[in-house]
Amino acid sequence: MTKEGDKMNSIEKTLEYHELLMTYSDTSKFGNDTLPDGFHYEFYKLGDEEEWARIHVESGEFMSIEEGLRIFHDFYDSFLNELPKRLFFVVNNFGEKVGTATISLLLEKEFGYEAVVDWFAIKKQYQGYHLSKPMINKFIKLANELGHKKLLLHTQTHTWLAAKLYLDFGFEPFNVEENMKGWQILKTITNHSKLNYIEAVPENDMYFDIALKTKAKLDELFGENYEYSIWHKNGRHDVEVNYNDILYKYKYYDKNNKFWLEEEKQNYKRK
């Protein structure tokens, strides 16, 4: 792993965003899915939507519960009746849901795969509790129990640490030529043995310039304990920040060798 990788967050949004596809060819091969003491598994029940959204907010994926609920319904409503056997949570002894993953059922096969690993997340404050490895074994085992002999997985450069873990567990890079830059970034960060045939990129070629400039400004405003998202496609130039459960919204501008943020007048209490 690069020295830069040692300093990275588990979700690193200053990297260039590239989707990474992986496959797992034999779901009969899985390890121990037993969780550490104080945690257990539960499957989705109607009404768990907000807890699912909260996990993704507190992992840094979403900026608000409202956003999470919208994404939940956009993504899951087409196979909602399947969720009680496909979406699981890790729950602590106080009843708090702290992690989740899903074996999604595709309406149409993708590259010949009918099942995909989706929405694997653990709340930040629980990411040092040794939950990731049993959870990965759990979703491989679950896929096998559901009759899926092989799996497709979507991940991304922003979640580079999860991508490394998947490779460690036997997932294989897929469709590499379609997104070579993303795999080159992962090679530079992790130097994983499964990526030996991929050429690394220089560390200074891994980052999204707007994200670096944005984060520098946000560090000045909020210090370290905040989450943010940048929306730059289709003409957008929006920044959202979650700080102390308040959602701040900005526009970013990068003109004439100057970069600045303009705050929208209204901020929102995170729901």
Side-chain angles (χ1 to χ4, degrees):
M1 183 182 297
T2 68
K3 292 181 181 179
E4 190 66 33
D6 292 337
K7 299 183 288 184
M8 285 182 174
N9 297 312
S10 59
I11 298 180
E12 184 53 71
K13 295 178 181 177
T14 60
L15 291 170
E16 285 187 11
Y17 177 91
H18 295 274
E19 186 178 33
L20 305 172
L21 287 179
M22 298 188 190
T23 60
Y24 196 83
S25 61
D26 185 359
T27 60
S28 68
K29 297 178 180 179
F30 52 83
N32 184 7
D33 66 347
T34 303
L35 292 166
D37 290 344
F39 298 92
H40 63 276
Y41 295 111
E42 291 182 10
F43 278 93
Y44 166 86
K45 302 183 299 297
L46 190 64
D48 284 338
E49 297 85 356
E50 185 167 322
E51 291 302 308
W52 180 91
R54 190 175 305 280
I55 290 169
H56 289 281
V57 169
E58 295 188 20
S59 72
E61 186 79 18
F62 307 147
M63 293 301 100
S64 67
I65 300 297
E66 180 181 43
E67 178 190 5
L69 288 172
R70 176 180 55 78
I71 291 172
F72 179 96
H73 290 293
D74 286 349
F75 188 84
Y76 286 121
D77 278 0
S78 64
F79 62 105
L80 196 62
N81 62 328
E82 291 273 336
L83 292 190
K85 62 183 180 182
R86 292 182 174 274
L87 191 165
F88 68 84
F89 295 101
V90 171
V91 186
N92 67 20
N93 282 349
F94 300 99
E96 178 188 4
K97 294 178 173 63
V98 304
T100 187
T102 305
I103 300 299
S104 297
L105 180 65
L106 295 173
L107 297 179
E108 296 183 5
K109 288 185 178 182
E110 185 176 1
F111 301 108
Y113 291 79
E114 64 181 10
V116 180
V117 181
D118 281 313
W119 297 114
F120 175 80
I122 300 169
K123 290 182 178 181
K124 272 192 174 181
Q125 61 267 43
Y126 289 95
Q127 289 180 5
Y129 283 67
H130 305 289
L131 302 176
S132 295
K133 291 182 179 180
M135 286 179 69
I136 294 172
N137 283 320
K138 173 70 172 178
F139 67 60
I140 296 171
K141 178 181 177 182
L142 177 60
N144 187 260
E145 291 171 348
L146 291 168
H148 305 303
K149 304 306 180 186
K150 59 182 183 177
L151 276 174
L152 186 67
L153 182 148
H154 292 256
T155 187
Q156 55 190 289
T157 47
H158 283 184
T159 53
W160 66 274
L161 183 56
K164 177 185 180 300
L165 282 173
Y166 298 141
L167 293 175
D168 290 344
F169 270 75
F171 281 82
E172 298 291 338
F174 183 72
N175 220 15
V176 171
E177 293 298 327
E178 294 296 316
N179 205 342
M180 180 58 76
K181 180 66 178 293
W183 290 106
Q184 289 177 316
I185 290 171
L186 191 63
K187 169 65 179 291
T188 301
I189 299 170
T190 68
N191 198 28
H192 200 282
S193 60
K194 287 190 175 179
L195 306 178
N196 283 343
Y197 64 98
I198 293 173
E199 184 178 353
V201 295
E203 290 188 19
N204 60 7
D205 194 28
M206 299 194 304
Y207 296 95
F208 177 38
D209 183 60
I210 291 295
L212 289 172
K213 292 175 179 177
T214 298
K215 190 172 187 308
K217 292 292 185 183
L218 295 178
D219 285 348
E220 294 175 8
L221 291 169
F222 298 104
E224 296 181 352
N225 297 317
Y226 67 90
E227 301 293 344
Y228 71 101
S229 290
I230 302 172
W231 306 89
H232 65 278
K233 293 185 177 180
N234 300 320
R236 294 183 64 178
H237 54 126
D238 302 310
V239 177
E240 294 182 350
V241 178
N242 181 335
Y243 179 67
N244 288 340
D245 282 348
I246 296 176
L247 185 65
Y248 296 84
K249 294 190 176 185
Y250 298 87
K251 298 288 186 183
Y252 73 78
Y253 297 92
D254 191 14
K255 298 179 180 179
N256 301 322
N257 295 319
K258 293 183 179 180
F259 182 88
W260 71 97
L261 299 176
E262 287 188 5
E263 185 176 0
E264 293 188 0
K265 291 183 179 180
Q266 185 178 8
N267 297 316
Y268 304 85
K269 183 71 175 177
R270 193 184 81 187
K271 296 181 179 179

